[in-house]
Amino acid sequence: MTVDHPGGPGSHPDAAPLDESGAEDLLRGICFKTGPPRTVGVELEWLIHDREHPELPVGRERLESAVAAVRALPLSAALTFEPGGQLELSSQPAGSLMECVETTAADLAAVRAALGAAGLAPVGLGVDPWRPPRRLLRERRYAAMEAALDRVGPAGRAMMCTSASVQVCLDAGEEEPGPLGHGRRWQLAHLLGAVLVAAFANSPYRRGLRTGWRSTRQSLWADLDPGRTLAPRPGPTPREEWAAHVLDAAVLCIRRDEGPWDVPERLTFRRWIRTGSPRPPTRADLDYHLTTLFPPVRPRGHLELRMIDAQRGPEGWVVPLAVATALFDDPEAAESVYRAVKPLAETAGPGAAPRNPLWTAAAREGLADPELRAAAVACFGAALPALERMGASDAVRGAVAAFADRYTARGRCPADDLPEPDALTDPALLTGPALLDAPGLLAAPPGPTGHGVPRRTAERPPYDPESPVPGPPTAPPHPGKAASA
């Protein structure tokens, strides 16, 4: 998850109180900033584990020392650490997919080297498969969040302290209707989002046990306070529906300059405005309130796609970033995929994501669900030519094709390649290159396009969604080493 914390600890005493109409105007204006899609970003969360014994907890002092070393790096991306010690890199908005990939990869290489010097490594799994939740960061905002989420159940602490994701950030879209219009992109995100959950599910274990979910991480989100994690009800005017959703959501905490932050019960932001108690809310309070809402798609001027599990290997994150960007920002692919996923609305029903039947099936079954598998095959089939039109490197397109061959066409997802937790402790499985990471994906000698060409995928026939689909293998080809190079 991303735990944002803009601004200072509380409202400035001279800040003007916010009225209801002013809050609605702000929400309509700041959450869907429209224009032609031009930029892309990615937020990568990683679990931090001991390189040789990933099942063992990392001590606080050791982690703090590693954090200090990483913070000293000259990174392009913003660096934060989550309550359980997870590391997050948030890229700057990039003018193209390849710019985003290359700058983020350079940052990750530096981070991995700094962590490696401490015997640690970033691990790409949606949920920590062994450790129980343990909050390492003691800031007041995390204490308040923990207290609020504890009222619903234990999923909140697990989400805060043991989960990790790949979040893709894309422009909200154009004002006009059409495949790149913000209304179409908003609808597409909530249908395609379920396909992305299923295709990239990578968290079948928690606390040493198989949970019965391909994406345990997504099941945790569905178990949280629904007012905080559900999408708004579908409707024709995303700005209006989102503004109402935000104001009618419960306030997680009220910040104070000193002492613990207040954690009110059943106080919506709308009611806070109307009552002005315990103090009148301000624009800064509304900005902070937005960061405490965790729907699967969050409008922040741009769209945050928050539903994808963290992926294994140094470059596993590139595939969901490339696929999502291609399907949203290439007009031909966006139109094709919209037609492919629109029938999923019937399965979703009237319920909001991520608690409706479509999203539940995606998290539990992955691509073993026939409807989601068919949609995923169509999506990857549209993404590959779109990536070529967008100027993606041979290496990135090869990684997407390899993932499609290995998983999507077979009705499989990365969770299906993981051994049982007692065999998952092999360091090469978690911290070495993933099965699909081509050596030198981003650093190989330049090919004709100027980007690295993967040696492993250079001779691979192009992915063809119309070709015969092999059945799922009965077991990974190398038990216990399924994701290693």
Side-chain angles (χ1 to χ4, degrees):
M1 66 173 273
T2 302
V3 183
D4 307 89
H5 40 85
S11 280
H12 193 278
D14 298 327
L18 192 63
D19 61 32
E20 198 167 338
S21 63
E24 290 172 343
D25 289 343
L26 281 170
L27 290 168
R28 286 191 290 262
I30 66 179
C31 291
F32 289 90
K33 294 180 180 177
T34 52
R38 300 185 188 279
T39 57
V40 57
V42 67
E43 299 178 14
L44 302 177
E45 294 173 337
W46 302 89
L47 307 170
I48 304 301
H49 284 262
D50 183 277
R51 178 176 289 278
E52 298 302 322
H53 301 284
E55 76 281 10
L56 299 179
V58 177
R60 182 189 300 271
E61 291 185 4
R62 185 183 180 195
L63 182 62
E64 288 176 349
S65 176
V67 166
V70 173
R71 288 194 186 283
L73 297 171
L75 302 175
S76 169
L79 173 72
T80 54
F81 285 84
E82 302 296 339
Q86 309 99 303
L87 178 149
E88 179 181 323
L89 283 177
S90 301
S91 77
Q92 299 297 323
S96 70
L97 170 65
M98 287 310 303
E99 179 188 340
C100 183
V101 168
E102 290 165 353
T103 56
T104 304
D107 284 341
L108 273 173
V111 168
R112 286 181 179 277
L115 291 174
L120 302 175
V123 171
L125 291 170
V127 170
D128 191 304
W130 306 287
R131 300 185 299 206
R134 180 180 59 139
R135 184 163 61 90
L136 300 177
L137 302 187
R138 297 301 177 188
E139 285 88 342
R140 290 178 293 173
R141 60 181 172 270
Y142 299 136
M145 179 174 288
E146 188 175 79
L149 297 180
D150 278 351
R151 291 171 179 162
V152 179
R157 292 195 184 204
M159 176 272 294
M160 288 175 64
C161 300
T162 65
S163 70
S165 69
V166 174
Q167 297 180 20
V168 180
C169 300
L170 301 167
D171 288 328
E174 298 174 342
E175 191 65 32
E176 296 77 13
L180 300 185
H182 77 279
R184 171 75 68 82
R185 286 162 76 87
W186 181 247
Q187 184 181 9
L188 176 64
H190 289 90
L191 295 175
L192 179 59
V195 180
L196 297 176
V197 169
F200 297 106
N202 190 35
S203 52
Y205 308 121
R206 181 167 176 251
R207 302 186 74 166
L209 299 173
R210 188 179 289 275
T211 64
W213 299 81
R214 259 70 167 200
S215 178
T216 300
R217 174 184 170 275
Q218 190 59 54
S219 76
L220 292 173
W221 283 107
D223 282 346
L224 297 180
D225 174 8
R228 197 164 306 286
T229 59
L230 285 184
R233 293 285 181 179
T237 55
R239 286 191 180 95
E240 302 296 330
E241 284 123 22
W242 177 249
H245 180 78
V246 170
L247 294 182
D248 291 332
V251 173
L252 186 142
C253 60
I254 298 177
R255 297 173 296 164
R256 303 173 56 180
D257 290 327
E258 296 181 359
W261 292 358
D262 297 330
V263 184
E265 289 195 65
R266 294 184 292 277
L267 175 67
T268 67
F269 201 92
R270 193 186 301 278
R271 181 169 178 78
W272 188 13
I273 291 174
R274 291 177 177 178
T275 63
S277 177
R279 60 167 175 78
T282 67
R283 164 69 185 272
D285 292 312
L286 179 62
D287 290 342
Y288 190 86
H289 177 59
L290 283 168
T291 72
T292 68
L293 304 180
F294 311 122
V297 183
R298 185 166 66 173
R300 299 283 302 279
H302 56 276
L303 300 182
E304 292 178 349
L305 308 184
R306 303 171 54 85
M307 71 290 296
I308 302 169
D309 279 359
Q311 300 293 295
R312 297 192 302 282
E315 294 152 358
W317 56 275
V318 173
V319 177
L321 169 63
V323 169
T325 304
L327 297 182
F328 276 88
D329 286 2
D330 179 83
E332 184 177 336
E335 185 64 30
S336 172
V337 168
Y338 178 71
R339 292 195 299 268
V341 302
K342 192 174 181 180
L344 297 178
E346 184 175 346
T347 302
R355 286 191 169 188
N356 64 41
L358 175 67
W359 282 68
T360 300
R364 187 185 297 278
E365 304 297 335
L367 295 189
D369 179 276
E371 188 178 29
L372 287 163
R373 175 183 177 177
V377 168
C379 289
F380 274 79
L384 280 161
L387 288 169
E388 185 169 9
R389 290 190 292 269
M390 296 169 68
S393 69
D394 291 343
V396 168
R397 287 185 284 119
V400 172
F403 187 98
D405 288 345
R406 172 73 185 177
Y407 295 115
T408 312
R410 298 170 181 258
R412 294 174 63 85
C413 60
D416 294 324
D417 267 1
L418 288 173
E420 293 300 318
D422 59 349
L424 193 59
T425 57
D426 182 349
L429 178 63
L430 292 179
T431 63
L435 182 68
L436 297 174
D437 280 342
L441 176 59
L442 303 170
T449 63
H451 300 291
V453 178
R455 292 190 292 272
R456 185 167 299 171
T457 58
E459 303 302 321
R460 178 185 296 275
Y463 170 65
D464 179 5
E466 300 300 324
S467 63
V469 177
T474 57
H478 302 291
K481 301 266 190 180
S484 60

